[in-house]
Amino acid sequence: MTEPSLLAVVEYATTLLFLAPFSVYDYKKRDIPDKLVYLFLAVSVVFCFLNFYLVKDLVPFQAQALYTLLSVVPVPLVLLVLARLELVGPADFYVVTSIAVAYSSPLNYPTLLGGYSVPVPPIVYSVLIYALVLQIAVHYAVLAARLRRFGFRVPKGFSAWDKAFLAIAGWPITVGELLEKDYYTPLQEPFESPLGVEWRLKGVTKIEDSELRSRIGEYLERGLVKHDEVVWASYGHPLVVYILFGFIMFLVRGF
């Protein structure tokens, strides 16, 4: 295998050029313009063919095909299923797929601390592992801060499994905060009863639930729930932001 090519460096620069503004869009709006996402995928396909041409005489076709298959099928397939279930956005699927396609050839890729080598497994795995670790760290840091802010509050009458689910999926917020931020998905839903409003466990089913949010807003207007009442909700983590930092971590240390 030859030393790192200029093409690898161009790929890095291009990927960062797309991921940086994508992260800003995702953080501020939880949405990325479709045209930019499709452009990233198209550029990634071009890199895929260029890389294939560069290594076709250096790597057996069977090895190249296996490496490409491992890069472009398993991880994007998982993201596609999650997107269909509305647990992640379509843009997340396309961004991950673009990275998988762009780096789907066994090319020598340089990293700051790891020298240069063919990434095994393919780069998309490393990026997502780093992204997941960062997301988990941020999630539990915020959870700890909010538990301290509100006091250790978990809904009464919930089982240990329910409480564990809440700690994994979300964190406590006020009703007012929930309604102000569109990317919060309630993990509890209110039911009116003669004794007032009872909050029951809902679970994560999709990114947005406008009907439930409208019902909570209605109860707030009617005075059945308070603005500062604490409930549990799932935060719509901006996945592309974590992917950007995951990609940067790969550039620094490799897999």
Side-chain angles (χ1 to χ4, degrees):
M1 182 65 68
T2 59
E3 294 197 5
S5 69
L6 176 61
L7 181 58
V9 177
V10 173
E11 279 189 83
Y12 284 168
T14 303
T15 301
L16 290 172
L17 187 63
F18 278 104
L19 289 182
F22 285 0
S23 298
V24 175
Y25 277 114
D26 200 24
Y27 179 77
K28 291 185 175 181
K29 302 180 179 180
R30 296 302 190 278
D31 188 30
I32 304 172
D34 292 342
K35 292 182 179 179
L36 293 179
V37 173
Y38 297 148
L39 178 60
F40 185 31
L41 181 58
V43 171
S44 296
V45 171
V46 173
F47 280 131
C48 177
F49 282 106
L50 290 175
N51 286 334
F52 181 84
Y53 178 80
L54 188 64
V55 302
K56 66 181 180 66
D57 296 327
L58 303 171
V59 179
F61 177 79
Q62 293 84 349
Q64 162 75 333
L66 177 61
Y67 190 92
T68 300
L69 184 68
L70 290 175
S71 181
V72 304
V73 174
V75 173
L77 182 59
V78 171
L79 267 291
L80 178 60
V81 172
L82 293 177
R84 293 294 185 183
L85 295 174
E86 298 186 42
L87 295 176
V88 300
D92 299 329
F93 162 72
Y94 281 108
V95 169
V96 171
T97 300
S98 298
I99 294 174
V101 170
Y103 300 92
S104 61
S105 291
L107 188 70
N108 272 331
Y109 285 99
T111 55
L112 187 61
L113 300 180
Y116 64 89
S117 62
V118 175
V120 177
I123 287 177
V124 66
Y125 289 84
S126 303
V127 171
L128 285 184
I129 288 172
Y130 288 136
L132 180 60
V133 170
L134 286 171
Q135 181 175 331
I136 292 173
V138 170
H139 176 83
Y140 283 104
V142 175
L143 175 62
R146 285 182 171 270
L147 288 176
R148 181 176 181 182
R149 170 186 170 187
F150 295 119
F152 186 73
R153 296 185 182 182
V154 292
K156 295 180 180 179
F158 280 29
S159 68
W161 286 110
D162 293 337
K163 295 173 183 178
F165 167 76
L166 291 176
I168 293 172
W171 54 58
I173 64 172
T174 64
V175 170
E177 199 176 2
L178 168 65
L179 296 177
E180 288 172 3
K181 304 293 176 63
D182 292 336
Y183 42 79
Y184 275 116
T185 300
L187 295 178
Q188 296 173 264
E189 54 183 327
F191 291 90
E192 189 175 356
S193 70
L195 299 178
V197 171
E198 177 186 358
W199 292 90
R200 302 176 188 171
L201 183 67
K202 171 181 176 289
V204 177
T205 55
K206 55 184 179 179
I207 296 175
E208 298 178 356
D209 193 334
S210 57
E211 186 278 330
L212 176 55
R213 294 174 65 87
S214 297
R215 192 185 346 150
I216 296 174
E218 176 191 344
Y219 286 177
L220 180 62
E221 292 178 359
R222 292 169 55 191
L224 297 177
V225 299
K226 298 179 181 179
H227 191 273
D228 60 352
E229 188 169 346
V230 177
V231 296
W232 284 70
S234 177
Y235 177 69
H237 284 280
L239 181 59
V240 176
V241 175
Y242 295 108
I243 290 175
L244 170 63
F245 284 101
F247 185 76
I248 292 173
M249 290 179 68
F250 171 80
L251 297 184
V252 172
R253 69 179 305 273
F255 182 74

